[in-house]
């Protein structure tokens, strides 16, 4: 039994390593022929012209715009909801909210995409008087909503981990519950809330389907979030079906995947380190 | 309600507890920080845990609450700063006055009450911030912003809780870096910093080593000239050493709520108790 569990643990590491090796292996051609520096510093993405131009910057910036907007949505809403659940609601409200959040997390991203198409695209078009409502903003907002459950769950854990004695200590000094929350509880849970935001970010940056449906997918450098963008994930999903297997374009898409892998890996690692530090802190 | 803070000639802090609530002088004859409890009862949901407690807690003295585990000492203590309100589903009956003023009615804001009645908990619970910020926490809540005023207050209260000499050069240090005993004295300083009339202590030394316990006891002895102290303790020697009055509570069975057996001068309670139950508890605990 114990051996089996060990094997599962090792298997996870082996799979992770295999993914990295696989991505690197398939990116080698892109790195050699298109050049890592060129890919990461130029803005022209014409993969099908000859010779193809493989500037990844529009895609990277597109992803950053969308995830930036997503963060602006998911962090305030997610942290606010976590504070409400953990500090201001009774058992029953808490249980109901938790169930709702689980449902939110279980809805497939295509469904979020559909709702975005039906509701948000026309709305953004009207509000900002644009020709098209398919923008980085549109995708970002929907992505933000999608990552709210992650942010709530992890933030709530962090708030829950703050010892009740601290809240009582603050209340005993004549602080209202709200004062206690922003002066003691939130700062004490700060690193966990940071980690929650990071994991929400990780969720947003890796999301594909909804952004593909909502951002318009123009692979040009966007000047603002009100322009159409194409994300790294969207690019891979949209173009993988049309490339020659083993070709340069094919390899470049793997390089995009590698960039994505490195970014998400780094984000998750950072979040984990912060969470671990927080856990140690309360283990007095 | 302005209380001047002074540093006495030898540098030790004296909190001159002068409050100008006019009625206070009439009702209490000048001393402030006295409680009067009349027929106080407490129920957690439908579980009545305390009933019929009537007693007077004198100002500027140390009153010890003793009794077996589960007899409601902490519960009664929490009535005095309305911390039971925080628990939800707690019903407190009867009448409690602080310096003649009803503290249970709508007219009393629990937030204001808690600035007048501080509390020190069983386990040290410093906030995750610097030593300075811990002590300045309450005053900042009260709206004190001036840096010099806060510094003076922090110094004075840290002196009162006998921690100043150990931390005066490291006020910016994180409070978690202090030892358990130092943390508890920091919590006492933190409670003093709102310049309360009363400090409630729920077994403040039970998590500490003998030397730290001694320091806490010394601090309590030094404080009682300026604040009223109500302390819960399981340690009979400690109650005998530090308290002026002792109240003995007892819950005789789980079906019946706890009650106050007797209360009186500590010396008499420990040498010549009126009730045989008091005697057997005290002698049993002295063992
Ligand atoms: N938050 C609460 N909810 C429900 N019941 C409680 C709560 N706190 C205390 N009680 C009950 O009230 C009774 C008195 O508890 P309390 O903690 O006041 O006793 P105590 O004298 O302080 O005991 P100890 O010496 O062990 O600290 C106990 O029966 C306890 O189970
Ligand atoms: Mg207790």
């Amino acid at each position: 039994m114990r051996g089996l569990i060990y094997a599962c643990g090792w298997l996870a590491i082996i799979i992770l390593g295999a993914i990295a090796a696989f991505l690197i292996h398939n990116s080698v051609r892109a790195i050699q022929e298109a050049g890592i520096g060129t890919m990461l510093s130029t803005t022209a993405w014409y993969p099908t012209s000859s010779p193809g131009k493989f500037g990844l910057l529009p895609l990277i910036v597109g992803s950053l715009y969308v995830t930036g907007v997503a963060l602006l949505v998911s962090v305030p809403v997610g942290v606010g909801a976590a504070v409400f659940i953990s500090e201001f609601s009774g058992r029953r409200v808490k249980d109901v909210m938790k169930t709702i959040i689980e449902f939110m997390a279980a809805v497939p991203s295509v469904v979020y995409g559909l709702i975005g198409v039906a509701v948000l695209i026309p709305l953004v078009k009207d509000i900002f008087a644009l020709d098209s409502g398919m923008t980085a903003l549109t995708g970002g907002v929907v992505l933000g909503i999608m990552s709210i459950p992650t942010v709530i769950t992890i933030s709530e854990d962090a708030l829950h981990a703050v010892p009740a004695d601290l809240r009582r200590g603050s209340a005993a000094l004549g602080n209202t519950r709200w004062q206690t929350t922003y002066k003691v509880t939130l700062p004490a849970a700060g690193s966990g809330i940071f980690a929650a935001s990071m994991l929400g970010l990780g969720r947003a940056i890796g999301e594909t389907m909804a952004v593909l449906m909502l951002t318009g997918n123009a692979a040009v450098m966007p000047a603002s979030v009100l322009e159409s963008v194409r994300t790294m994930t969207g690019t891979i999903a949209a173009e993988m079906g049309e490339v020659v297997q083993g070709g340069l374009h094919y390899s470049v898409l793997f390089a995009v995947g590698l960039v994505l892998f490195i970014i998400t890996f780094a984000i998750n690692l950072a979040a984990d380190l912060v969470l671990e530090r927080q856990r140690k802190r309360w283990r007095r | 309600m302005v209380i001047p803070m002074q540093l006495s000639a030898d540098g030790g802090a004296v909190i001159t507890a002068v409050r100008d609530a006019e009625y206070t002088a009439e009702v209490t004859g000048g001393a402030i920080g006295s409680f009067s409890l009349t027929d106080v009862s407490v129920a957690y949901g439908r579980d009545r845990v305390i009933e019929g407690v009537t007693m007077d807690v004198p100002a500027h003295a140390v009153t010890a609450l003793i009794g077996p585990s589960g007899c409601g000492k902490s519960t009664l203590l929490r009535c005095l700063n309305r911390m039971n309100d925080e628990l939800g589903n707690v019903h407190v009956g009867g009448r409690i006055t602080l310096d003649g003023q009803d503290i249970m009615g709508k007219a009393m804001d629990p937030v204001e009450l808690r600035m007048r009645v501080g509390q020190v908990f069983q386990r040290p619970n410093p906030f995750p911030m610097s030593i300075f910020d811990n002590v300045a926490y309450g005053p900042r809540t009260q709206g004190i912003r001036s840096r010099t005023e806060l510094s003076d207050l922090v110094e004075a209260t840290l002196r009162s809780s006998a921690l100043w000499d150990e931390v005066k050069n490291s006020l910016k240090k994180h409070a978690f870096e202090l030892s358990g005993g130092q943390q508890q004295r920091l919590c006492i300083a933190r409670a003093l910093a709102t310049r309360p009339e009363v400090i409630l202590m729920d077994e403040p030394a039970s998590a500490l080593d003998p030397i730290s316990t001694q320091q806490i006891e010394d601090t309590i002895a030094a404080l009682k000239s300026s604040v009223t102290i109500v302390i819960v303790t399981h340690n009979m020697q400690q109650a005998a050493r530090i308290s002026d009055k002792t109240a003995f509570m007892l819950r005789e069975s789980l079906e019946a709520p706890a009650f106050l057996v007797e209360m009186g001068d500590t010396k008499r309670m420990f040498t010549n108790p009126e009730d045989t139950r008091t005697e057997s508890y005290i002698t049993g605990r002295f063992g």
Side-chain angles (χ1 to χ4, degrees), chain B residues 39-86:
Chain B
D39 197 22
V40 171
S41 62
V42 182
Y44 291 105
R46 308 186 62 181
D47 182 20
R48 305 172 69 82
V49 296
I50 297 180
E51 212 158 77
V53 171
T54 297
M55 65 191 225
D56 286 318
V57 177
H60 296 193
V62 178
T63 299
L65 287 182
I66 61 170
S69 189
C71 72
K73 304 178 295 293
S74 302
T75 302
L76 188 67
L77 201 69
R78 284 197 294 266
C79 291
L80 303 181
N81 62 348
R82 300 245 320 242
M83 281 295 279
N84 282 323
D85 291 14
E86 300 293 308

Side-chain angles (χ1 to χ4, degrees), chain A residues 117 134 139 143 207-217 229-231 233-239:
Chain A
V117 169
M134 293 192 175
L143 235 51
E207 170 53 38
T208 308
M209 189 48 76
V211 284
L212 209 52
M213 295 165 78
L214 296 168
T215 58
N217 300 311
V229 296
R230 173 183 288 199
T231 63
T233 51
T235 305
I236 297 173
E239 298 180 10

Side-chain angles (χ1 to χ4, degrees), chain B residues 70 73-75 78 122 202-203 232 234:
Chain B
K73 304 178 295 293
S74 302
T75 302
R78 284 197 294 266
Q122 185 168 355
D202 195 345
E203 303 184 48
V232 171
H234 276 124

Side-chain angles (χ1 to χ4, degrees), chain A residues 226-271:
Chain A
L226 293 178
E227 287 178 17
S228 169
V229 296
R230 173 183 288 199
T231 63
M232 291 185 276
T233 51
T235 305
I236 297 173
E239 298 180 10
M240 206 45 155
E242 302 156 10
V243 296
V244 182
Q245 196 153 12
L248 181 57
H249 187 186
Y250 174 87
S251 179
V252 169
L253 290 184
F254 272 92
V256 175
L258 187 61
V259 172
L260 207 51
F261 179 81
I262 291 169
I263 292 175
T264 44
F265 188 77
I267 289 172
N268 275 282
L269 194 66

